[in-house]
Amino acid sequence: MTDLDDPLGPLDPDFATHFVRDDRRPACQLYLISPLDVGGGFPDRLARALDAGPVAAFQFRVKDVDQHEAARLAERLQRLCADREVAFIVNDSVSLAKRIGADGVHLGQDDGDPREARAVLGPSVQIGVTCHDSRHLAMSAGEAGADYVAFGSFFPTTTKAVHHHPEPVILSWWSALFELPCVAIGGITPGNAAPLVAAGADFLAVSGAVWGGDEAAAVRAFAEVLARSGGETSRT
């Protein structure tokens, strides 16, 4: 779905010029997404990243492994996050999230209904939903009980194939009208993140920019961007 296909119609690009972030809204925070390979020395890399600066959440995203193996891989990573009060979010799989007692699950458009996930996981688990570039999908996710919505890909990315490229103004529109947090995702780096924070992102979801090099240096760089942009400067 493109902005033109959205039942709500195209979004006025000038909306962003009038956007002012509500001071009562929590500051923007960092949301790490794992690489597909989380074996070997990755737990040590995760520990370095989490110790380098404030991180609100970590998404466990693995593909093509059975649930038993996924649970085994998640165990140490989940403990590292728990020790640092970082939310541990499972990508795609409600059953895995329930099995390991994750703090949340992130659902793509083909990964199930938030209502069904809530029935399985209970009231305290965080449920996020990918909404691409669609305000309609985001509103539907909110009505279905999602705890946050994710828009993207804002920039080119090699992490996954993408077909949706929203403009930052969608973050301004969402933040101005809804209290539900929004996540910006897709090709975000310390060099291009500031406009997304200014547009109203509550979280920056990042992967390649952190795991593609020195993870500690990358987290510190994001922390500096967030601090300059009024984002999170201390662990919550």
Side-chain angles (χ1 to χ4, degrees), residues 34-42 45 61-63 73:
S34 78
L36 295 179
D37 183 1
V38 296
F42 180 74
R45 296 193 69 191
R61 179 177 178 267
V62 297
K63 304 289 184 180
L73 290 168

Side-chain angles (χ1 to χ4, degrees), residues 76-152:
R76 185 177 173 193
L77 306 181
Q78 189 175 11
R79 186 166 61 249
L80 290 171
C81 289
D83 289 345
R84 294 161 175 79
E85 298 183 349
V86 174
F88 190 88
I89 311 295
V90 168
N91 178 258
D92 291 351
S93 177
V94 173
S95 59
L96 178 62
K98 182 174 179 61
R99 174 174 175 167
I100 67 174
D103 298 306
V105 66
H106 184 88
L107 303 176
Q109 284 296 312
D110 299 321
D111 297 326
D113 188 287
R115 297 179 187 87
E116 297 173 359
R118 179 70 66 204
V120 172
L121 298 174
S124 62
V125 171
Q126 298 291 302
I127 297 174
V129 177
T130 294
C131 299
H132 303 306
D133 55 358
S134 171
R135 290 173 289 154
H136 173 68
L137 290 178
M139 291 174 68
S140 297
E143 291 170 358
D147 294 293
Y148 70 83
V149 297
F151 296 110

Side-chain angles (χ1 to χ4, degrees), residues 9-236:
L11 184 58
D12 182 357
D14 291 333
F15 189 95
T17 64
H18 305 293
F19 173 75
V20 177
R21 189 183 186 92
D22 191 332
D23 289 340
R24 295 169 297 180
R25 203 173 184 100
C28 186
Q29 301 177 73
L30 193 62
Y31 180 152
L32 295 185
I33 299 177
S34 78
L36 295 179
D37 183 1
V38 296
F42 180 74
D44 292 332
R45 296 193 69 191
L46 177 60
R48 285 194 294 271
L50 298 183
D51 290 340
V55 176
F58 171 77
Q59 185 183 125
F60 178 72
R61 179 177 178 267
V62 297
K63 304 289 184 180
D64 302 322
V65 298
D66 63 34
Q67 191 170 107
H68 178 75
E69 175 64 6
R72 185 190 69 80
L73 290 168
E75 182 177 7
R76 185 177 173 193
L77 306 181
Q78 189 175 11
R79 186 166 61 249
L80 290 171
C81 289
D83 289 345
R84 294 161 175 79
E85 298 183 349
V86 174
F88 190 88
I89 311 295
V90 168
N91 178 258
D92 291 351
S93 177
V94 173
S95 59
L96 178 62
K98 182 174 179 61
R99 174 174 175 167
I100 67 174
D103 298 306
V105 66
H106 184 88
L107 303 176
Q109 284 296 312
D110 299 321
D111 297 326
D113 188 287
R115 297 179 187 87
E116 297 173 359
R118 179 70 66 204
V120 172
L121 298 174
S124 62
V125 171
Q126 298 291 302
I127 297 174
V129 177
T130 294
C131 299
H132 303 306
D133 55 358
S134 171
R135 290 173 289 154
H136 173 68
L137 290 178
M139 291 174 68
S140 297
E143 291 170 358
D147 294 293
Y148 70 83
V149 297
F151 296 110
S153 173
F154 284 96
F155 304 106
T157 176
T158 59
T159 301
K160 63 185 295 186
V162 296
H163 307 285
H164 307 275
H165 301 282
E167 295 297 325
V169 65
I170 198 171
L171 302 169
S172 304
W173 175 85
W174 181 265
S175 296
L177 297 180
F178 302 99
E179 293 183 4
L180 202 68
C182 62
V183 175
I185 190 170
I188 300 171
T189 70
N192 62 26
L196 299 178
V197 180
D202 295 295
F203 296 90
L204 301 179
V206 301
S207 185
V210 171
W211 310 120
D214 182 331
E215 60 278 355
V219 169
R220 287 194 293 268
F222 275 112
E224 292 175 4
V225 172
L226 291 173
R228 289 196 302 269
S229 305
E232 189 65 69
T233 58
S234 62
R235 193 180 305 281
T236 55

